[in-house]
Amino acid sequence: MTINEHLTEFAGKPVWGFRYEQDGESSDDHYRSATSAPPASPGDVAWRVATWFDGPSFGDVFQAFLDEVDTATVTHLVIGYWGASYEATDAVGPVGRLVQAAGQLPALRALFLGDIVLEESEISWIEQSDVTPLFEAFPGLEQLEVRGSEGLGLRPVHSRALRRLRFESGGLPAAVVRAVGESDLPALEHLDLWLGTDDYGGDATAADLAGVLGGERLPALAHLGLEDARIADEVAAVVASAPVVARLASLSLAMGALTDRGAESLLSGQSLTHLARLDLHHHFLGDAMVERVRAALPGVEVDLEQQEKPEDGWFYVAVSE
């Protein structure tokens, strides 16, 4: 699996690219908005702000966005390509720019950080930073989605507003996983963690999931995704007895290296028949185990598509580099 298409919709709103022009080249040449009609009001769309390879600094583009758009009514924001360290385009970085501009974005409720596709950067090359300041600058933030994990950091946070949190990566740092579990998020309903592989910084173990799986700080959680995991079998083993699972409506262990061993753990653990959906797509289960899982969960929507075969004994995840 590769991420090769930019977002066209985010949190229920069409994505509209902010147009920036330099030396006869514009951001329109690199990104086409999801709708051809400009928004009647800035709050009608999710604004996408980005530079391009060998283009202007992200700081210049973002400042132009703040100057030219009535950002007081912007609720949804998508941050695209911001350059790389070797381009030396912007020492502050996107998180720093957002924090500095918090007073000009008082209505911000949904943020996607890293709408960057394969032709711009491999997912594990996307250079992130500590995203904790975003929660401090935007206490009303209800949705945060982050793509990429190089340099990614998070410290335990408290947010009464956050409802959806998603980290897409080829290797999620253990410190980030633990910080999520140590955060107080009483309104969080949807959590996705792409754990990835240790080849790309995904050094989390099943033990690092204890805070999330205990669920004490996540009383509203209805969907949990522990996905794209090389350690999918170990994850399945701890999920099988995790207290948080009993109140979920949806569980995903998709995109990882789940084998019959992990599926056996799920089937021998606590009942999963209360789930509305169980997503296991991209897996390494044998035919017999696929049928056992389906038979054990009547009434549950179970996604067992993409039945993979190991390559020379290698069990691979859907997204890594």
Side-chain angles (χ1 to χ4, degrees), residues 160-241:
R160 292 189 174 278
L162 194 69
R163 297 181 179 278
R164 181 182 176 97
L165 180 61
R166 181 176 174 84
F167 288 101
E168 298 181 358
S169 81
L172 196 60
V176 173
V177 174
R178 291 193 298 269
V180 172
E182 294 167 7
S183 295
D184 289 312
L185 303 171
L188 193 71
E189 299 170 352
H190 186 113
L191 175 62
D192 281 310
L193 303 175
W194 291 16
L195 300 175
T197 82
D198 54 3
D199 295 330
Y200 296 99
D203 57 348
T205 66
D208 293 314
L209 294 167
V212 171
L213 296 178
E216 293 90 349
R217 298 181 177 91
L218 304 170
L221 197 66
H223 167 83
L224 176 60
L226 302 172
E227 298 148 324
D228 197 49
R230 175 75 63 81
I231 60 168
D233 286 347
E234 290 79 4
V235 171
V238 293
V239 163
S241 60

Side-chain angles (χ1 to χ4, degrees), residues 110-122:
L111 173 64
F112 192 103
L113 185 63
D115 181 31
I116 297 172
V117 297
L118 181 62
E119 66 181 19
E120 296 166 322
S121 175
E122 299 278 4

Side-chain angles (χ1 to χ4, degrees), residues 27-53:
S27 50
D28 291 353
D29 300 322
H30 303 269
Y31 172 78
R32 185 181 299 277
S33 293
T35 173
S36 58
S41 167
D44 291 344
V45 298
W47 286 87
R48 184 179 190 275
V49 184
T51 184
W52 58 91
F53 187 75

Side-chain angles (χ1 to χ4, degrees), residues 17-204:
F18 172 71
R19 189 178 192 277
Y20 186 91
E21 186 170 353
Q22 182 186 71
D23 300 329
E25 189 175 14
S26 80
S27 50
D28 291 353
D29 300 322
H30 303 269
Y31 172 78
R32 185 181 299 277
S33 293
T35 173
S36 58
S41 167
D44 291 344
V45 298
W47 286 87
R48 184 179 190 275
V49 184
T51 184
W52 58 91
F53 187 75
D54 286 339
S57 74
F58 177 79
D60 287 346
V61 179
F62 190 69
Q63 187 59 52
F65 166 70
L66 295 174
D67 292 342
E68 298 175 23
V69 176
D70 180 11
T71 56
T73 61
V74 170
T75 58
H76 291 47
L77 189 58
V78 174
I79 303 299
Y81 183 72
W82 55 75
S85 60
Y86 61 81
E87 295 179 74
T89 54
D90 188 12
V92 176
V95 171
R97 295 287 174 187
L98 286 162
V99 170
Q100 291 174 357
Q104 294 172 267
L105 292 162
L108 188 65
R109 295 294 179 267
L111 173 64
F112 192 103
L113 185 63
D115 181 31
I116 297 172
V117 297
L118 181 62
E119 66 181 19
E120 296 166 322
S121 175
E122 299 278 4
I123 189 170
S124 292
W125 298 358
I126 298 173
E127 297 180 2
Q128 289 285 358
S129 61
D130 187 350
V131 297
T132 310
L134 293 172
F135 293 96
E136 300 163 353
F138 302 100
L141 197 65
E142 298 174 358
Q143 180 164 337
L144 176 64
E145 304 195 24
V146 180
R147 178 178 296 162
S149 59
E150 178 68 26
L152 179 67
L154 177 70
R155 288 171 277 119
V157 299
H158 174 78
S159 171
R160 292 189 174 278
L162 194 69
R163 297 181 179 278
R164 181 182 176 97
L165 180 61
R166 181 176 174 84
F167 288 101
E168 298 181 358
S169 81
L172 196 60
V176 173
V177 174
R178 291 193 298 269
V180 172
E182 294 167 7
S183 295
D184 289 312
L185 303 171
L188 193 71
E189 299 170 352
H190 186 113
L191 175 62
D192 281 310
L193 303 175
W194 291 16
L195 300 175
T197 82
D198 54 3
D199 295 330
Y200 296 99
D203 57 348

